Amino acid sequence: MTTDTDLSLRAVTRGDVVLLSPVGRLDLSTYVGMRDGLLKHVAEQPHAVVVVLGPDLELGSDPLASVFAAVWMRCCRWPGVPLLLVATAERHRRMLERTGLARFVPCHERLDTALAVATAPTRRHRNEMQLPADTDAPHLARDFARRTCLKWDLRQASPRTVLLAGELVDITRAHTSSALVLRIERFPDQLTVAVRHAGPSPRGAPHRLDLTRVHRLSTACGNTPTLDEGRVVWAAITLRSGSRA
């Protein structure tokens, strides 16, 4: 995948883990391309994303490494995909020490160590369904969300989850005629609801989605482009520790 004329991301998969190797120069002109390229891979929702900082990556200056922290912070809310860094080049290991980036993003010196962490079992439950992009979709989404919360014994979170599922589907189908995928995931401390459509929107890409109602119902929300030029619209709800909320 190409992020910019002077920077690209080479991607390979190891099971459910995506390995990304940046090639080229990370500077002010390629910063956004790097950020968006990483986020698109995260939006595919693999088990984890491991970024290998090798000899083919040139860093213009230390502050530019903040791109990895920015992506990591986005991942924490949605989709909960772990982001790990592997510094195989000595100059990148020194950069991680100088910037203190390892205090925020998990950093490793060996790929096998990072993969062992990335593939470790996690307390994560997932349920998803496909929906047509028509007027029945919001109703089907709400019913699916209600049944999922009942299955996971999330009685207090159910009302908001049901409303969010319907709202996200309604927002997404307004910009596409392709089938939708609704995914609900439970983590130890949060529940996420996401709706995805594949491919570019035939109705034109919206400059800004109106997420006002979604914002009021959720802890955090947003939208992210995907590798196939589609989009994921998502929301997260914080679950109280030790409760069935």
Side-chain angles (χ1 to χ4, degrees), residues 48 58 76 93:
E58 180 185 356
C76 289
R93 288 195 285 268

Side-chain angles (χ1 to χ4, degrees), residues 71-113:
V71 173
W72 177 82
M73 290 181 68
R74 287 278 296 271
C75 295
C76 289
R77 280 300 183 191
W78 183 88
V81 172
L83 178 74
L84 302 88
L85 300 180
V86 178
T88 61
E90 178 61 30
R91 68 177 184 273
H92 296 321
R93 288 195 285 268
R94 292 197 299 268
M95 176 273 295
L96 293 176
E97 292 176 0
R98 290 193 302 270
T99 60
L101 193 61
R103 288 180 292 177
F104 304 97
V105 185
C107 298
H108 302 271
E109 294 186 4
R110 293 169 53 94
L111 179 58
D112 56 353
T113 304

